[in-house]
mmCIF file of all heavy atoms in Angstrom:
data_model
loop_
_atom_site.group_PDB
_atom_site.id
_atom_site.type_symbol
_atom_site.label_atom_id
_atom_site.label_comp_id
_atom_site.label_asym_id
_atom_site.label_seq_id
_atom_site.Cartn_x
_atom_site.Cartn_y
_atom_site.Cartn_z
ATOM 1 N N ASP V 78 44.722 -0.590 -22.518
ATOM 2 C CA ASP V 78 45.308 0.597 -23.142
ATOM 3 C C ASP V 78 46.047 0.278 -24.437
ATOM 4 O O ASP V 78 46.373 1.188 -25.198
ATOM 5 C CB ASP V 78 46.276 1.286 -22.164
ATOM 6 C CG ASP V 78 45.543 2.214 -21.190
ATOM 7 O OD1 ASP V 78 44.298 2.207 -21.184
ATOM 8 O OD2 ASP V 78 46.225 2.942 -20.452
ATOM 9 N N PHE V 79 46.301 -0.996 -24.670
ATOM 10 C CA PHE V 79 47.020 -1.365 -25.899
ATOM 11 C C PHE V 79 46.062 -1.710 -27.046
ATOM 12 O O PHE V 79 46.507 -1.968 -28.161
ATOM 13 C CB PHE V 79 47.974 -2.545 -25.641
ATOM 14 C CG PHE V 79 48.853 -2.332 -24.442
ATOM 15 C CD1 PHE V 79 48.964 -3.299 -23.446
ATOM 16 C CD2 PHE V 79 49.586 -1.150 -24.289
ATOM 17 C CE1 PHE V 79 49.763 -3.095 -22.330
ATOM 18 C CE2 PHE V 79 50.400 -0.939 -23.177
ATOM 19 C CZ PHE V 79 50.483 -1.916 -22.197
ATOM 20 N N PHE V 80 44.776 -1.714 -26.788
ATOM 21 C CA PHE V 80 43.815 -2.080 -27.829
ATOM 22 C C PHE V 80 43.894 -1.169 -29.063
ATOM 23 O O PHE V 80 43.829 -1.663 -30.189
ATOM 24 C CB PHE V 80 42.395 -2.084 -27.242
ATOM 25 C CG PHE V 80 42.017 -3.349 -26.515
ATOM 26 C CD1 PHE V 80 42.889 -3.958 -25.618
ATOM 27 C CD2 PHE V 80 40.774 -3.958 -26.711
ATOM 28 C CE1 PHE V 80 42.537 -5.125 -24.930
ATOM 29 C CE2 PHE V 80 40.413 -5.124 -26.035
ATOM 30 C CZ PHE V 80 41.298 -5.705 -25.154
ATOM 31 N N PRO V 81 44.014 0.160 -28.874
ATOM 32 C CA PRO V 81 44.052 1.017 -30.074
ATOM 33 C C PRO V 81 45.262 0.730 -30.966
ATOM 34 O O PRO V 81 45.228 1.001 -32.155
ATOM 35 C CB PRO V 81 44.148 2.437 -29.490
ATOM 36 C CG PRO V 81 43.624 2.316 -28.093
ATOM 37 C CD PRO V 81 44.007 0.934 -27.631
ATOM 38 N N ASN V 82 46.330 0.212 -30.401
ATOM 39 C CA ASN V 82 47.533 -0.098 -31.184
ATOM 40 C C ASN V 82 48.169 -1.347 -30.598
ATOM 41 O O ASN V 82 49.040 -1.260 -29.724
ATOM 42 C CB ASN V 82 48.530 1.079 -31.112
ATOM 43 C CG ASN V 82 49.856 0.708 -31.753
ATOM 44 O OD1 ASN V 82 49.922 -0.147 -32.652
ATOM 45 N ND2 ASN V 82 50.929 1.342 -31.267
ATOM 46 N N PRO V 83 47.726 -2.518 -31.037
ATOM 47 C CA PRO V 83 48.169 -3.775 -30.408
ATOM 48 C C PRO V 83 49.687 -3.905 -30.306
ATOM 49 O O PRO V 83 50.187 -4.503 -29.343
ATOM 50 C CB PRO V 83 47.571 -4.847 -31.312
ATOM 51 C CG PRO V 83 46.349 -4.206 -31.881
ATOM 52 C CD PRO V 83 46.709 -2.761 -32.083
ATOM 53 N N ASP V 84 50.420 -3.308 -31.236
ATOM 54 C CA ASP V 84 51.882 -3.390 -31.151
ATOM 55 C C ASP V 84 52.403 -2.817 -29.839
ATOM 56 O O ASP V 84 53.473 -3.202 -29.359
ATOM 57 C CB ASP V 84 52.527 -2.605 -32.309
ATOM 58 C CG ASP V 84 52.382 -3.346 -33.623
ATOM 59 O OD1 ASP V 84 51.978 -4.532 -33.612
ATOM 60 O OD2 ASP V 84 52.663 -2.741 -34.670
ATOM 61 N N SER V 85 51.679 -1.893 -29.293
ATOM 62 C CA SER V 85 52.155 -1.210 -28.088
ATOM 63 C C SER V 85 52.140 -2.114 -26.859
ATOM 64 O O SER V 85 52.704 -1.771 -25.826
ATOM 65 C CB SER V 85 51.320 0.039 -27.814
ATOM 66 O OG SER V 85 49.982 -0.333 -27.502
ATOM 67 N N GLY V 86 51.485 -3.276 -26.981
ATOM 68 C CA GLY V 86 51.507 -4.235 -25.870
ATOM 69 C C GLY V 86 52.884 -4.825 -25.666
ATOM 70 O O GLY V 86 53.183 -5.369 -24.604
ATOM 71 N N PHE V 90 58.100 -1.801 -28.482
ATOM 72 C CA PHE V 90 57.540 -0.733 -29.300
ATOM 73 C C PHE V 90 57.860 0.624 -28.694
ATOM 74 O O PHE V 90 58.355 1.538 -29.367
ATOM 75 C CB PHE V 90 56.017 -0.920 -29.432
ATOM 76 C CG PHE V 90 55.356 0.132 -30.272
ATOM 77 C CD1 PHE V 90 55.232 -0.021 -31.654
ATOM 78 C CD2 PHE V 90 54.857 1.297 -29.695
ATOM 79 C CE1 PHE V 90 54.626 0.968 -32.427
ATOM 80 C CE2 PHE V 90 54.255 2.278 -30.467
ATOM 81 C CZ PHE V 90 54.136 2.119 -31.836
ATOM 82 N N TRP V 304 52.045 6.573 -28.003
ATOM 83 C CA TRP V 304 52.205 5.184 -28.441
ATOM 84 C C TRP V 304 50.902 4.468 -28.800
ATOM 85 O O TRP V 304 50.951 3.309 -29.205
ATOM 86 C CB TRP V 304 53.075 4.369 -27.487
ATOM 87 C CG TRP V 304 52.764 4.353 -26.016
ATOM 88 C CD1 TRP V 304 53.515 4.922 -25.026
ATOM 89 C CD2 TRP V 304 51.678 3.702 -25.342
ATOM 90 N NE1 TRP V 304 52.968 4.673 -23.794
ATOM 91 C CE2 TRP V 304 51.841 3.917 -23.956
ATOM 92 C CE3 TRP V 304 50.578 2.957 -25.781
ATOM 93 C CZ2 TRP V 304 50.956 3.418 -22.996
ATOM 94 C CZ3 TRP V 304 49.680 2.456 -24.824
ATOM 95 C CH2 TRP V 304 49.883 2.700 -23.462
ATOM 96 N N GLN V 305 49.753 5.119 -28.685
ATOM 97 C CA GLN V 305 48.515 4.504 -29.166
ATOM 98 C C GLN V 305 48.347 4.763 -30.662
ATOM 99 O O GLN V 305 47.250 5.012 -31.152
ATOM 100 C CB GLN V 305 47.311 5.004 -28.370
ATOM 101 C CG GLN V 305 47.186 4.320 -26.993
ATOM 102 C CD GLN V 305 45.930 4.702 -26.223
ATOM 103 O OE1 GLN V 305 45.288 5.689 -26.539
ATOM 104 N NE2 GLN V 305 45.569 3.920 -25.217
ATOM 105 N N ARG V 306 49.446 4.749 -31.391
ATOM 106 C CA ARG V 306 49.448 4.922 -32.847
ATOM 107 C C ARG V 306 50.551 4.032 -33.409
ATOM 108 O O ARG V 306 51.536 3.750 -32.718
ATOM 109 C CB ARG V 306 49.785 6.334 -33.265
ATOM 110 C CG ARG V 306 49.420 7.394 -32.264
ATOM 111 C CD ARG V 306 49.815 8.739 -32.797
ATOM 112 N NE ARG V 306 49.429 9.770 -31.866
ATOM 113 C CZ ARG V 306 48.762 10.869 -32.183
ATOM 114 N NH1 ARG V 306 48.420 11.091 -33.438
ATOM 115 N NH2 ARG V 306 48.437 11.761 -31.269
ATOM 116 N N PRO V 307 50.449 3.705 -34.684
ATOM 117 C CA PRO V 307 51.533 2.965 -35.340
ATOM 118 C C PRO V 307 52.828 3.767 -35.254
ATOM 119 O O PRO V 307 52.795 5.014 -35.121
ATOM 120 C CB PRO V 307 51.062 2.844 -36.787
ATOM 121 C CG PRO V 307 49.585 3.023 -36.724
ATOM 122 C CD PRO V 307 49.303 3.909 -35.564
ATOM 123 N N LEU V 308 53.941 3.084 -35.370
ATOM 124 C CA LEU V 308 55.230 3.716 -35.109
ATOM 125 C C LEU V 308 55.465 4.971 -35.947
ATOM 126 O O LEU V 308 55.902 6.004 -35.411
ATOM 127 C CB LEU V 308 56.367 2.707 -35.336
ATOM 128 C CG LEU V 308 57.750 3.209 -34.920
ATOM 129 C CD1 LEU V 308 57.811 3.516 -33.430
ATOM 130 C CD2 LEU V 308 58.825 2.183 -35.276
#
Side-chain angles (χ1 to χ4, degrees):
Chain V
D78 277 8
F79 310 129
F80 277 45
N82 172 27
D84 286 349
S85 65
F90 181 89
W304 52 249
Q305 282 185 343
R306 332 180 178 229
L308 187 62

